[in-house]
Amino acid sequence: MQVSRNKQVLTVSKAKRIETFRRLLRLIFSQYPAWLVVSFVAIVISALASVAGSLFIQRLIDHYIMPLMRASHPNFQPLLLAILVMAAIFYAGVLATILYTQIMATMGQRIQKSIRDQMFTRMESLRLQYFDQNDYGNVMSRYTNDIDTLTQLITQSLPQFIVALFNVTFALVAMVSLSPILTIVSLLIFATSITVVRWLTSRSSKYFRAQQASLGTLNAFIEEMLNGQKVIKVFSHEREVKDQFDGVNGALRQDAQYANGYATMLFPIMGNLGNLLYVLIAIIGGAIAVGHSSLLTLGTIAAFLQLSRSFSQPIAQISQQLNAIIQAMAGAGRIFQLLDEQPEEDDGTVTLVKKGPQQAEWYWRVDDDPTHDIAVKGHIQFNHVNFTYPGSDAGLHDITFEADAGAKVALVGQTGAGKTTITNMLNRFYDIDSGEILYDGLNIQTIKKADLRRSLAIVLQDNHLFSGSIADNIRYGKPEATDAEVHGAARLANADHFIDDLPDGYETQVTGDGSDLSSGQRQMLAIARAAIVDPPVMILDEATSNIDTRTEQLVQAGMDNLMANRTTLAIAHRLSTIFNADLILVVGGGRIIEQGTHDELLAKRGTYYELYTGQKGDD
Amino acid sequence: MIRTLLKSVREYRKQTITTPILVVIEAAIETLIPFLMAMIIDRGINAGNMTIVIRVGVLLLIMAVLSLMMGAGASWISSIAAAGFAKNLRQDLFYHIQTFSFQNLDQFPTSSLVTRLTTDITNLQTAFQMAIRIAFRAPSMLIFSIIMAFTVSSEMASLFVVAIPILAIGLWLIVRYSRPLFRQVFQRYDQLNRVVRENLRGIRVVKTYGQQAAEISKFKAASGSIFKTFSKAQRIVALNMPVMQFVINTTMLLLSWYGAHLIVGNQLQVGQLVSLFSYSMSILFSLNMLSMIFSQLSVAQASAERVIAVMQTKPSITDDDQALTTVTNGEVVFEHVSMQYPGTHTPQLKDVNLRIKSGSMVGIIGETGSAKSTLVELIPRLYDVSEGRVLVAGHDVRDYDLKALRDNVAMVLQNTMLFSGTIAENLRWGNADATDEQLQTAAKMAQADEFVQSLPQKYDTYIEQNGQNISGGQRQRLTIARALLKQPQILILDDSTSATDTRTDAAIRAAFKTQLPNVTKLMITQRVTSVQEADEIIVMQAGQVAAVGTHAELLATNGWYKQLADSQEKQGGDAHAGLTQ
């Protein structure tokens, strides 16, 4: 998985990269156009100051030092003036640099924050499908790695790229004005440099891709082996695993060596080509100056030597930044991909309103018309519901059943039979393809999603907790709940005993997804969280895994408390739930195979009978 | 710390030493170039002497080419050294983890070990390459350039005595003020990542309770606090460039002013002034490079500490050279065994005494947390006892060669881990040389053959990572078959049929009884029906053996056991499994 994903990212087409780049520029420009213009001007001033410095050397030697040497009474007054003028130019350049680097640093962070916030806001609005289909690590890395490279691009690579571009251009203009012949020599070296750079970067990026892939393979291998480390120990399989590891590790070493070899060679080669240019200018310039001193002055050669430096260094920089830009484009592409995800649609108009002294009476309000409110009772009806998971064969076929208000429905069947899928239809985590689902006689598609979901509590097998205190977690769905309500809900869920035993009671902080708590305790908190909202309908996954008998009893008692006086769809794991259910749905292959009460189904001698007795019906 | 890491250089020692040598030579050549250039200008061009221009020019060309080769060579060789060092270090770390006992493994979460083996070592690879290349180059350039500047003109070079400390202080201040901010940023990142992770994992809860707006404001608070700190840090770091520019420009102006005076006074020549411009650039850039190296190496330091923490964890169970290599039978004896996990206050097992006859079938039953697993894990020495001793075939388990012991004590763990590969490859973990017939025999005994045969590719069916493409019960049966292929003296099943229906469970037990009469069979279970016909049943309670006896004996003497048997019977044991799977 990991490997293929990396490949996918790295082979993004050039056209796509350009499109991403355009969009990124638009994003940057649209947010702070004034600041960008200011920093652009500052960059130009800074580059001009730097070229002026090199040209100054020529003036210094030809116009001041040489005449002064010949003068019998040297007057340093004009030189002092020139140096002061130069100082003014230099410090203006320094100020311009301060200006644009500060603007870029702040703006990069602002853009970073704004993109992050946009991403998260968009993510919160996405359909559940997105979360089920995307690997969490992959999504996480957009908030970290991808944004980091993007910020790096905005604060460093882009400005440096522009500065380098200006430096090269100005240096070239200055060189041509000083000496066209030496400029031609410089351009020859320049062409060589470009060729070398292109070759090196194409080699290194090829191996960097290979390195990413090898790293992905290694990562997957290590992950799998360390997860199975105890099995490896039990089978004394260390030798074999080490051998396999050596193969994967060796491949990574080779790719890393080539990738870094070519990449790190870039700078010394560029630097030394600069040296070569430096020497060539001295020789050729020297030869011309000795022969025809009128063509080339000493100062010109000296200035040229300096200019050749400010010519070759930016080229190395540009080539390096180009790589960084390409890498950042991949990250930016992934960020835009998330921003472009279609949010969950909501055409519902029916809202949920609460009335009465304790806000305890719930009503559906149709068309904002308070005179015809419908009391929320919890009557649920599925009529010929069909559904297919996007991109898969699995789904539901012709699901039809009816649960009266307050009824207990037990869903029974193998893992993967479609029990959870049925519950996903009711809270519209996924939308049905055909058929209809009625809630108190209203088609659930007409109800606002947020309100529909608020009227349905869920308690899952693996319940997620948020960082914050225990009390915060219990009142998650009802932030305004009083302490008394929190305690009441905890009591109902049987969670009060263990909470009282915690060092800070209800104020104990939950960290790391509640890993300090046992799975049974987490389940009790989830029950309390549902209880405090007190909705008319409940979706409950009864599975209790990895908990001891005593806690299991507490959790189950909590579940029973929660089910009382509520329509409940339970993914049943307890026989008592199944026996006492008003309706049992035997689910298999996305269909309801049988439905009825325990006694009715036993009498049928069908699938349920088979499951219950462990015998074929006709035995 | 560095010494521990350097042990991983090994066969790349040559490259590791060659790189700095090349780099120092390259730096020396590079610093000589401006000096010779001054000669061309002063004695050649200015004096109108073409011979000197050409002679020194050719020398310079050779030097430039040499320096290019040295520089490129150093880069290439340093990459070999760094990639090799990283490979060895990764290998050392991975091999070291392979020596870890269960107890060591419990200390480090898998995800943290993965990060150490990948990200942290990649950081160290970069740092290593930097250390042998740039960390030699920058100071060499600095020192050589200062020496050359003083050689050219000690009066002019005294300017650097002022410029260097000013720049050094400036760079130091930038690092000093930005570093703590960056550290804060990393902490705030954790906060932001936590909100994202919680929303990814808990999205169902968020949506159910309609808390998107609250979550978004939580996120914005986190990203806002990153913005505040990070932009402050970045603004400080952004001062680096103007500070450099300021010092370089000022130095250049001062060089021009004093240089002009010295030249007019005949104490300096024009070419020498030009070379001093070059040296001033080299010196100041090298200083900047040094400050970069320091901040980069400090990033690597954290990684180094994390790698070394694993390296220095001593495996708590090691082999003895004099160890026994044969296990003669399947007798297991516990003598006054106590066991306490390090760092905990209460012992897991307290004074356990047991004698299990070779070839018998023994059931172990008890509540969660009664230390059933701990008890059996002592037999293949997955953990060591704290007190007393465990004997296998009459010898203390600590006297055996670990591999020999574990080959003879096959344990099926609760965690039904399979590895990516075919079913056959997974089964051959038990015995790499097993024939296809042997595979099938073992699978039949574990009641796995039937479903394997129903798969399109049978034994060559590929198991996805962690066996996602087969059910929990099927996975359990494959892990049993895998253990059987070892042909052990002792077979331990740790609740290994929990996801298997009772009929299959019974079939497995029946097969064991008839086909493995001489193998000692220990089975942890939650179901009374699974141990009913065992030769002996051990009832565990809070780390102690509460009772030992046959089913009939325990029904009569042990209240807890009788209660459990009754309640499971009432629930209709079999139906329970079938309906709620």
Side-chain angles (χ1 to χ4, degrees), chain A residues 343-554:
Chain A
E344 193 167 25
E345 282 162 27
D346 191 1
D347 308 327
T349 52
V350 177
T351 54
L352 186 69
V353 289
K354 296 179 186 176
K355 297 186 204 168
Q358 301 259 290
Q359 301 274 300
E361 295 164 33
W362 297 25
Y363 293 92
W364 295 120
R365 176 164 295 171
V366 186
D367 298 332
D368 282 331
D369 175 8
T371 56
H372 293 95
D373 287 349
I374 302 165
V376 180
K377 293 215 174 79
H379 176 267
I380 304 288
Q381 195 174 349
F382 276 56
N383 287 329
H384 306 290
V385 170
N386 289 300
F387 167 73
T388 316
Y389 279 106
S392 114
D393 301 334
L396 297 174
H397 310 281
D398 196 29
I399 301 292
T400 301
F401 70 92
E402 184 176 356
D404 291 331
K408 310 283 168 280
V409 180
L411 296 155
V412 174
Q414 300 273 324
T415 312
K419 293 171 294 186
T420 309
T421 310
I422 292 178
T423 65
N424 280 343
M425 299 297 111
L426 181 57
N427 53 25
R428 291 191 70 193
F429 278 166
Y430 285 87
D431 274 333
I432 59 175
D433 298 336
S434 63
E436 60 171 1
I437 302 172
L438 303 177
Y439 189 143
D440 291 332
L442 295 162
N443 187 327
I444 57 167
Q445 296 194 340
T446 65
I447 304 174
K448 277 188 78 146
K449 275 187 177 171
D451 286 349
L452 170 71
R453 288 174 186 156
R454 223 170 292 155
S455 74
L456 303 157
I458 48 173
V459 176
L460 301 168
Q461 188 180 352
D462 189 17
N463 287 287
H464 185 83
L465 297 180
F466 295 84
S467 35
S469 68
I470 296 266
D472 291 341
N473 270 288
I474 294 177
R475 56 162 74 95
Y476 187 79
K478 192 180 179 186
E480 71 278 9
T482 62
D483 286 350
E485 285 178 89
V486 170
H487 294 193
R491 252 195 313 282
L492 179 137
N494 272 325
D496 52 337
H497 304 291
F498 93 82
I499 297 175
D500 288 337
D501 287 343
L502 292 172
D504 297 319
Y506 284 86
E507 292 313 311
T508 307
Q509 293 295 311
V510 174
T511 52
D513 206 6
S515 54
D516 296 345
L517 302 171
S518 75
S519 68
Q521 290 170 335
R522 285 203 295 273
Q523 229 157 359
M524 288 189 256
L525 286 180
I527 293 169
R529 180 166 66 188
I532 206 165
V533 181
D534 197 19
V537 181
M538 254 316 290
I539 294 169
L540 183 68
D541 189 335
E542 285 192 331
T544 48
S545 54
N546 293 323
I547 59 179
D548 62 81
T549 330
R550 164 102 187 101
T551 315
E552 191 172 17
Q553 283 164 0
L554 288 174

Side-chain angles (χ1 to χ4, degrees), chain B residues 22-244:
Chain B
L22 285 178
V23 156
V24 171
I25 297 175
E26 189 217 349
I29 297 175
E30 258 198 270
T31 28
L32 274 176
I33 289 178
F35 186 76
L36 292 172
M37 195 70 68
M39 262 172 81
I40 291 193
I41 293 174
D42 296 333
R43 295 197 207 152
I45 302 172
N46 220 5
N49 186 338
M50 197 62 194
T51 341
I52 292 216
V53 171
I54 292 185
R55 242 189 233 160
V56 180
V58 170
L59 178 64
L60 270 173
L61 275 182
I62 295 169
M63 283 169 62
V65 171
L66 259 180
S67 150
L68 189 147
M69 282 161 56
M70 298 263 181
S75 295
W76 190 254
I77 293 170
S78 70
S79 298
I80 298 177
F85 163 75
K87 182 210 82 179
N88 286 342
L89 184 59
R90 204 177 281 121
Q91 189 186 50
D92 291 346
L93 194 60
F94 188 79
Y95 279 24
H96 189 66
I97 294 170
Q98 295 304 314
T99 67
F100 276 10
S101 66
F102 272 34
Q103 186 190 315
N104 296 129
L105 288 169
D106 295 341
Q107 253 178 305
F108 297 99
T110 304
S111 63
S112 104
L113 287 178
V114 174
T115 318
R116 285 167 219 238
L117 278 161
T118 52
T119 314
D120 283 330
I121 291 195
T122 306
N123 284 347
L124 287 174
Q125 176 185 329
T126 312
F128 183 82
Q129 189 165 8
M130 191 176 225
I132 58 173
R133 205 170 72 90
I134 305 176
F136 277 91
R137 189 184 147 84
S140 310
M141 285 298 281
L142 182 68
I143 294 166
F144 292 156
S145 296
I146 292 176
I147 293 173
M148 289 314 293
F150 272 95
T151 314
V152 171
S153 162
S154 50
E155 278 161 79
M156 295 284 281
S158 52
L159 260 178
F160 295 129
V161 179
V162 186
I164 292 173
I166 290 177
L167 181 59
I169 289 171
L171 295 176
W172 179 76
L173 283 175
I174 289 172
V175 173
R176 189 178 163 243
Y177 283 102
S178 60
R179 223 204 233 169
L181 288 175
F182 278 117
R183 210 165 291 152
Q184 279 180 38
V185 169
F186 288 127
Q187 282 164 11
R188 299 200 173 160
Y189 260 122
D190 288 346
Q191 209 177 322
L192 181 106
N193 290 344
R194 201 177 58 217
V195 180
V196 179
R197 199 180 316 120
E198 287 183 353
N199 274 273
L200 283 169
R201 292 163 68 131
I203 191 67
R204 284 179 164 77
V205 181
V206 176
K207 283 191 185 283
T208 300
Y209 293 104
Q211 292 300 309
Q212 286 96 330
E215 293 297 325
I216 289 171
S217 66
K218 251 195 242 172
F219 180 88
K220 283 190 173 164
S223 76
S225 118
I226 288 182
F227 167 73
K228 242 171 94 187
T229 322
F230 211 176
S231 59
K232 203 164 154 194
Q234 291 283 10
R235 280 201 300 270
I236 296 177
V237 171
L239 288 174
N240 187 297
M241 213 194 314
V243 165
M244 280 287 292

Side-chain angles (χ1 to χ4, degrees), chain A residues 53 60-61 65 68-69 76 79 83 87 90-91 97-98 101-102 106 109-110 112-113 116-117 120 124 126 128 131-132 136 140 143-144 148 218-219 222 224-226 228-238 241-242 245-246 249 252-253 257-258 260-261 264-265 268 272 275-276 278-279 282-283 286-287 289-290 298 302 344 412-414 429 453-454 456 458 464 466-467 476-477 513 529-530 533 548 573 575 608 611-612 614, chain B residues 12 26 30 37 41 45-46 48 50 57 60 64 67-68 71-72 75-76 79-80 83 87 90-91 94-95 98-100 102 105-106 110 113-114 117 125 129 189 192-194 196 198-209 211-212 215-216 219-220 223-224 227 230-231 234-235 238-239 242 245-246 249-250 252-253 256-257 260-261 263-264 270 274 278 368 403 406 411 417 419-420 429 482 486 503 571 575 578-581:
Chain A
L60 175 73
I61 295 172
I65 295 179
L68 280 173
M69 278 174 78
F76 285 94
L79 176 62
I83 284 183
F90 272 156
Y91 296 139
T97 308
I98 292 180
T101 49
Q102 291 294 309
T106 313
Q109 293 303 316
R110 260 185 218 291
Q112 181 181 42
K113 173 169 166 26
R116 265 208 191 102
D117 291 351
F120 190 79
E124 289 292 287
L126 297 181
L128 205 69
F131 298 90
D132 287 347
Y136 294 162
M140 284 288 297
Y143 288 92
T144 52
D148 282 345
L218 180 87
N219 210 323
I222 293 175
E224 181 171 17
M225 289 308 147
L226 291 183
Q229 194 63 43
K230 293 193 172 179
V231 179
I232 295 173
K233 300 254 84 163
V234 167
F235 282 90
S236 307
H237 229 265
E238 291 93 340
V241 170
K242 282 179 185 171
F245 173 82
D246 285 348
N249 193 25
L252 173 62
R253 185 204 68 81
Q257 178 201 315
Y258 284 124
N260 284 313
T264 49
M265 251 160 66
N272 282 301
N275 281 337
L276 208 61
Y278 196 66
V279 173
I283 298 172
V290 171
L298 193 57
E344 193 167 25
V412 174
Q414 300 273 324
F429 278 166
R453 288 174 186 156
R454 223 170 292 155
L456 303 157
I458 48 173
H464 185 83
F466 295 84
S467 35
Y476 187 79
D513 206 6
R529 180 166 66 188
V533 181
D548 62 81
H573 287 257
L575 291 174
Y608 183 82
L611 284 169
Y612 179 68
Chain B
Y12 298 97
E26 189 217 349
E30 258 198 270
M37 195 70 68
I41 293 174
I45 302 172
N46 220 5
M50 197 62 194
L60 270 173
S67 150
L68 189 147
S75 295
W76 190 254
S79 298
I80 298 177
K87 182 210 82 179
R90 204 177 281 121
Q91 189 186 50
F94 188 79
Y95 279 24
Q98 295 304 314
T99 67
F100 276 10
F102 272 34
L105 288 169
D106 295 341
T110 304
L113 287 178
V114 174
L117 278 161
Q125 176 185 329
Q129 189 165 8
Y189 260 122
L192 181 106
N193 290 344
R194 201 177 58 217
V196 179
E198 287 183 353
N199 274 273
L200 283 169
R201 292 163 68 131
I203 191 67
R204 284 179 164 77
V205 181
V206 176
K207 283 191 185 283
T208 300
Y209 293 104
Q211 292 300 309
Q212 286 96 330
E215 293 297 325
I216 289 171
F219 180 88
K220 283 190 173 164
S223 76
F227 167 73
F230 211 176
S231 59
Q234 291 283 10
R235 280 201 300 270
L239 288 174
Q245 221 175 333
F246 174 80
N249 288 340
T250 310
M252 195 168 148
L253 290 174
S256 304
W257 176 247
H261 278 87
I263 291 171
V264 172
V270 176
V274 174
S278 285
T368 316
K403 184 166 164 29
R406 288 178 185 165
M411 172 133 178
M417 175 84 190
F419 295 85
S420 33
W429 272 61
R482 178 172 68 182
K486 272 190 178 181
R503 258 183 302 169
Q571 289 206 341
L579 267 180
T580 59
Q581 207 314 274

Side-chain angles (χ1 to χ4, degrees), chain A residues 189-374:
Chain A
I189 295 282
F190 173 71
T192 319
S193 309
I194 293 287
T195 319
V196 172
V197 166
R198 288 190 65 128
W199 182 76
L200 280 177
T201 45
S202 81
R203 297 293 293 176
S204 70
S205 60
K206 178 185 152 198
Y207 284 106
F208 271 123
R209 276 198 294 271
Q211 185 192 344
Q212 276 315 103
S214 308
L215 200 58
T217 315
L218 180 87
N219 210 323
F221 176 83
I222 293 175
E223 186 110 35
E224 181 171 17
M225 289 308 147
L226 291 183
N227 272 324
Q229 194 63 43
K230 293 193 172 179
V231 179
I232 295 173
K233 300 254 84 163
V234 167
F235 282 90
S236 307
H237 229 265
E238 291 93 340
R239 263 234 74 76
E240 290 82 345
V241 170
K242 282 179 185 171
D243 289 345
Q244 269 179 300
F245 173 82
D246 285 348
V248 185
N249 193 25
L252 173 62
R253 185 204 68 81
Q254 191 163 359
D255 292 332
Q257 178 201 315
Y258 284 124
N260 284 313
Y262 287 115
T264 49
M265 251 160 66
L266 186 67
F267 256 89
I269 288 186
M270 289 304 295
N272 282 301
L273 279 176
N275 281 337
L276 208 61
L277 176 62
Y278 196 66
V279 173
L280 280 177
I281 288 170
I283 298 172
I284 297 168
I288 297 169
V290 171
H292 319 269
S293 56
S294 59
L295 279 177
L296 218 50
T297 63
L298 193 57
T300 308
I301 295 176
F304 225 103
L305 289 175
Q306 199 71 17
L307 272 175
S308 77
R309 287 273 184 220
S310 51
F311 188 63
S312 58
Q313 262 165 8
I315 291 174
Q317 269 171 15
I318 289 174
S319 60
Q320 205 197 21
Q321 300 308 343
L322 262 179
N323 261 359
I325 290 171
I326 289 172
Q327 270 174 18
M329 280 311 110
R334 283 153 38 102
I335 288 171
F336 288 138
Q337 203 187 349
L338 172 56
L339 290 178
D340 289 345
E341 287 288 339
Q342 283 306 306
E344 193 167 25
E345 282 162 27
D346 191 1
D347 308 327
T349 52
V350 177
T351 54
L352 186 69
V353 289
K354 296 179 186 176
K355 297 186 204 168
Q358 301 259 290
Q359 301 274 300
E361 295 164 33
W362 297 25
Y363 293 92
W364 295 120
R365 176 164 295 171
V366 186
D367 298 332
D368 282 331
D369 175 8
T371 56
H372 293 95
D373 287 349
I374 302 165

